[in-house]
């Protein structure tokens, strides 16, 4: 059974939702299975498997949830694919691939175009480390901290997955 993974933000909470391709579809939110029933008006009724209480989820024209209502109270939702969420998080962290700075990860699936550093090399904060091509765009990943390159985990031309370790730095 194939599934698509999404990151759903409700207020300050961020949840992971996996939508199965089963019939009827099932949504697993942070490990809890929900049954989905489509209703008129671009809405779906969603309930935890085995429970009576339903949440009403409204979908946009792309089929992504925009609001969820429980007990008459509506909550806006920000829904992104897991791939888009990983990319956005990496870009928000200054395109370093992680806030910790020691490990630079691929922000999305792609191909390593160039490796600009080697193990043992000293780098300054903001120095380019690796260029990854994804979605026909080249993304230059930068050092979040000054330090020494501890390890380079990829080579040029290698396909990488989102979150895959590319370069490891030993901060100075």
């Amino acid at each position: 059974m194939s599934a698509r993974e999404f990151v759903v933000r409700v207020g300050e909470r961020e949840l992971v939702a996996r939508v199965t391709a089963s019939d009827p579809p099932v949504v697993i939110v942070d490990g809890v299975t929900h049954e989905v029933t489509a209703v008129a008006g671009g809405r779906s009724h969603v309930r935890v498997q085995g429970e009576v209480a339903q949440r009403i989820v409204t979908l946009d024209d792309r089929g992504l949830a925009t609001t969820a209502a429980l007990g008459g109270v509506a909550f806006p939702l920000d829904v992104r694919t897991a791939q888009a969420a990983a990319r956005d998080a990496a870009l928000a962290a200054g395109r370093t691939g992680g806030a910790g700075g020691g490990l630079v990860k691929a922000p999305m699936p792609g191909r390593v175009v160039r490796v600009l550093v080697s193990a043992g090399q000293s780098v300054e904060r903001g120095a380019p480390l690796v260029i990854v091509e994804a979605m026909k765009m080249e993304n230059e990943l930068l050092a979040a901290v000054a330090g020494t390159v501890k390890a380079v985990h990829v080579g040029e031309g290698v396909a990488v997955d989102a979150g895959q370790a590319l370069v490891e730095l030993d901060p100075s």
Side-chain angles (χ1 to χ4, degrees):
M1 164 173 38
S2 67
R4 293 183 57 198
E5 194 167 291
F6 298 88
V7 174
V8 181
R9 181 175 288 280
V10 184
E12 295 300 314
R13 286 187 66 197
E14 200 166 86
L15 309 166
V16 175
R18 295 184 73 229
V19 180
T20 68
S22 60
D23 188 26
V26 171
V27 178
I28 302 166
V29 180
D30 282 352
V32 178
T33 302
H34 295 71
E35 298 170 349
V36 179
T37 306
V39 294
R43 295 182 182 181
S44 294
H45 287 172
V46 179
R47 68 180 175 90
V48 174
Q49 218 168 31
E51 289 187 4
V52 177
Q54 293 185 353
R55 289 120 178 111
I56 298 172
V57 177
T58 304
L59 307 176
D60 65 11
D61 59 349
R62 297 173 297 153
L64 294 177
T66 57
T67 60
L70 177 61
V73 179
F75 301 92
L77 303 176
D78 174 29
V79 179
R80 293 172 287 154
T81 63
Q83 178 181 354
R87 179 199 64 223
D88 294 347
L91 292 174
R95 296 193 309 184
T96 61
L103 188 60
V104 178
K105 299 178 183 180
M108 64 191 84
R111 183 180 59 84
V112 176
V113 176
R114 288 199 345 236
V115 177
L116 305 169
V117 295
S118 57
Q121 182 177 338
S122 292
V123 295
E124 295 298 318
R125 182 177 190 273
L129 304 172
V130 179
I131 298 175
V132 176
E133 181 183 278
M135 301 180 345
K136 298 184 181 180
M137 290 178 35
E138 288 189 358
N139 301 283
E140 188 175 66
L141 304 179
L142 311 176
V145 296
T148 304
V149 177
K150 187 174 181 179
V152 177
H153 298 287
V154 294
E156 293 180 3
V158 172
V160 294
D161 293 322
Q164 182 174 335
L166 304 176
V167 176
E168 192 172 350
L169 298 175
D170 189 10
S172 54

